[in-house]
Amino acid sequence: MNFAQLLAGKLLLSSEVPLQQATISYLLRTNQLTQLPSITKKYGKPECRRCGNKDAQLFAKIPCARCDTTHVYCRNCVQTGRVLACDPLLVWHGIEPTYQKQKEPCRWNGTLTPAQDKAATAIIEVIDHPKAELIIWAVCGAGKTEMLFPAITKAIQQAKRICIATPRADVVRELLPRFKRAFPDTEMEALYANSPDKTGRGQLVISTTHQLIRYQAAFDLMIIDEIDAFPYHHDKTLPLLTKRASKASATSIYLTATPRKEHRAKIRRKQLAVQFVPIRFHGHPLPVPQLKIEFQLRKKLQQNNQSTALTQFIQSRSSKRQLLIFAPTIELVEKVSKQYNAISVHAADPDRKEKVNQFRQKKIDTLVTTTILERGVTFPSVDVVILGAGHHVFDEAAIVQIAGRAGRSPDDPTGEVLLIHQGKTNAMEDAIAQIKMMNRKGKNQ
């Protein structure tokens, strides 16, 4: 067995090492594996070396059956396996793993547009620069996945290890088959909760950012998709995990259609290199959302009455597109789906994956959803409505991303986007301004 390929670049609890205890003991005796304390104290305060948590309120004590005593554990990362103070982390210190060098690893036969090719060239150019960073600011539907193929090809030719990290499991599931088709001879794995595609040996790893908790100094090329998305943007642990999973010399590529203020500030100050892709792969502009005010909207929705604006929109539609309705809460999603005899989907729905697949296959005409489908999913021909667009969950980034679900196919490059609200918000105005700005940039290319 190739222990180096299985364990190098990992930071694992003993229960996570897929080897017999006798083998683990042998690797420890021969110094190929070393142990690190999982929870340490700094200035008298606990610190979790697994997730980086330093908040004393997120530590607790629990009786340990193994030691017959009480130990501290970290509540911040308990969902990925409880780490007790008596349970060390295991780190590989044996030989470095080697990965296959392929002359022509990519079998994708498509052609990049000029805008895509420009971005792909920019990514290729930074790969050989240690610690280089580049943000690709690409509109929804620009074809970001295909832009990555040339750089990943070069990285595989150089026997480098690559990670594509994304905040959401849905995106991992969607990306894996696309990359398998493009790079059929490359050892690949997908990491998310209960993933069936975990091998521990991937040269190309597609992972949720949460799953990177088990990696340390593993990747030569770190590509972070949707850096502005929840939960990556809101959870300080996740950027720490992606940084730790990267080698010290790693190149970092950030992909986003909606960079947050801190990234825009870095771009303005020239602290972060940027490559714009302001036009979709089919050459058509982004749909600009239309605003529709409805007085007493919140009261109607609370009283389980239909939105007049939504009803009128549905009745006036002449297109054969499917309809994607976004609502701010699960409760409202369920209400609206019943009102319009539609299918609902949300994060807590056990049939979520199947319903999304049925909508993609056009077995469902209307789907009512929360923001779980605001990004990372592609439907070829939809109209989009945000019901209650003034709700705080629909910030600028969310509105731009939701609008980006429409018009993604070259066979139907338009699509209507309607924001039904009780009062216009800054988020709506900023989102529309950003979409118009990218459309202007696209015209000038």
Side-chain angles (χ1 to χ4, degrees):
M1 180 179 290
N2 189 333
F3 295 126
Q5 208 167 51
L6 183 65
L7 300 174
K10 303 283 181 65
L11 190 68
L12 301 174
L13 299 169
S14 56
S15 59
E16 296 172 330
V17 178
L19 298 172
Q20 296 292 327
Q21 184 56 50
T23 305
I24 295 173
S25 298
Y26 164 76
L27 294 173
L28 287 168
R29 283 197 312 273
T30 56
N31 295 320
Q32 295 178 79
L33 274 179
T34 58
Q35 295 180 332
L36 295 175
S38 55
I39 296 176
T40 59
K41 280 196 173 183
K42 194 170 184 179
Y43 307 116
K45 295 181 179 180
E47 180 176 340
C48 178
R49 295 183 72 165
R50 190 163 183 254
C51 70
N53 171 39
K54 298 178 184 178
D55 186 346
Q57 296 181 357
L58 293 177
F59 290 93
K61 290 187 176 181
I62 192 171
C64 176
R66 183 174 54 194
C67 302
D68 197 26
T69 185
T70 299
H71 281 305
V72 172
Y73 76 97
C74 177
R75 293 193 291 117
N76 187 57
C77 57
V78 71
Q79 288 186 328
T80 50
R82 187 170 62 201
V83 52
L84 287 167
C86 66
D87 193 1
L89 295 168
L90 300 178
V91 181
W92 178 255
H93 276 288
I95 61 171
E96 284 293 309
T98 56
Y99 292 96
Q100 181 184 6
K101 278 188 179 182
Q102 301 176 48
K103 270 192 171 183
E104 296 182 7
C106 187
R107 305 292 174 81
W108 182 65
N109 294 319
T111 303
L112 296 176
T113 66
Q116 288 176 317
D117 187 63
K118 193 174 180 180
T121 300
I123 299 171
I124 287 174
E125 287 175 352
V126 300
I127 284 182
D128 294 326
H129 296 278
K131 302 181 182 180
E133 294 181 295
L134 173 67
I135 187 167
I136 303 296
W137 185 345
V139 297
C140 298
K144 293 193 293 292
T145 301
E146 289 75 17
M147 293 177 214
L148 297 174
F149 289 169
I152 291 175
T153 296
K154 182 177 181 181
I156 293 172
Q157 288 170 341
Q158 296 176 346
K160 290 183 176 181
R161 197 175 190 192
I162 308 114
C163 178
I164 301 171
T166 180
R168 300 190 180 187
D170 289 339
V171 181
V172 176
R173 284 191 286 264
E174 183 162 298
L175 288 178
L176 181 64
R178 295 173 67 181
F179 276 94
K180 279 190 171 181
R181 287 193 296 270
F183 300 92
D185 298 324
T186 300
E187 183 76 38
M188 201 175 302
E189 59 181 320
L191 306 180
Y192 53 88
N194 302 315
S195 167
D197 301 295
K198 295 178 182 178
T199 67
R201 298 180 177 85
Q203 179 177 5
L204 174 56
V205 175
I206 306 171
S207 175
T208 62
T209 46
H210 284 89
Q211 293 295 317
L212 295 181
I213 197 168
R214 299 182 178 88
Y215 285 84
Q216 177 176 276
F219 301 104
D220 303 283
L221 176 60
M222 175 63 72
I223 300 167
I224 306 175
D225 191 19
E226 306 288 8
I227 55 168
D228 62 292
F230 179 87
Y232 187 85
H233 174 67
H234 298 269
D235 188 342
K236 293 180 181 179
T237 301
L238 300 180
L240 183 150
L241 296 182
T242 54
K243 185 175 181 180
R244 187 182 68 190
S246 306
K247 292 181 180 178
S249 60
T251 300
S252 298
I253 307 296
Y254 311 121
L255 307 176
T256 181
T258 48
R260 298 286 177 171
K261 289 180 180 179
E262 59 267 31
H263 295 116
R264 294 187 204 179
K266 284 186 174 183
I267 290 168
R268 283 196 302 271
R269 294 194 295 263
K270 300 189 184 302
Q271 295 173 338
L272 181 59
V274 63
Q275 180 64 53
F276 287 98
V277 187
I279 192 165
R280 290 178 150 186
F281 77 96
H282 51 53
H284 291 265
L286 291 161
V288 178
Q290 302 301 306
L291 299 177
K292 179 68 176 178
I293 191 166
E294 180 169 350
F295 300 105
Q296 303 294 317
L297 175 63
R298 284 191 289 271
K299 186 176 180 180
K300 285 182 183 179
L301 298 177
Q302 287 170 357
Q303 295 177 349
N304 201 23
N305 294 323
Q306 290 185 355
S307 157
T308 303
L310 178 57
T311 300
Q312 290 174 347
F313 178 75
I314 290 173
Q315 291 175 347
S316 66
R317 292 174 72 233
S318 59
S319 75
K320 295 181 181 179
R321 301 186 188 105
Q322 293 168 281
L323 179 60
L324 197 54
I325 302 172
F326 287 83
T329 65
I330 293 176
E331 180 185 10
L332 187 53
V333 163
E334 298 288 4
K335 282 182 181 179
V336 172
S337 64
K338 289 176 183 176
Q339 289 171 353
Y340 294 94
N341 195 28
I343 301 297
S344 66
V345 68
H346 48 78
D349 188 341
D351 300 320
R352 165 183 170 184
K353 182 180 176 183
E354 180 60 28
K355 288 178 180 177
V356 172
N357 283 336
Q358 287 180 351
F359 188 71
R360 187 177 284 114
Q361 295 163 10
K362 298 191 175 182
K363 295 178 181 178
I364 295 172
D365 181 65
T366 301
L367 190 63
V368 188
T369 181
T370 57
T371 55
I372 61 161
L373 295 186
E374 76 175 38
R375 62 178 77 215
V377 290
T378 299
F379 307 113
S381 181
V382 297
D383 287 329
V384 177
V385 175
I386 302 180
L387 182 62
H391 194 281
H392 67 85
V393 303
F394 299 120
D395 60 10
E396 176 189 354
I399 293 171
V400 172
Q401 290 283 352
I402 289 169
R405 298 312 99 201
R408 296 179 74 94
S409 169
D411 297 323
D412 184 14
T414 57
E416 295 187 69
V417 179
L418 181 66
L419 311 186
I420 301 173
H421 63 94
Q422 190 170 317
K424 190 163 56 174
T425 63
N426 289 338
M428 294 180 211
E429 292 185 326
D430 291 344
I432 291 171
Q434 184 184 149
I435 289 170
K436 288 181 176 179
M437 179 269 290
M438 293 300 270
N439 284 344
R440 286 194 300 272
K441 280 182 174 289
K443 278 185 179 179
N444 295 330
Q445 283 210 346

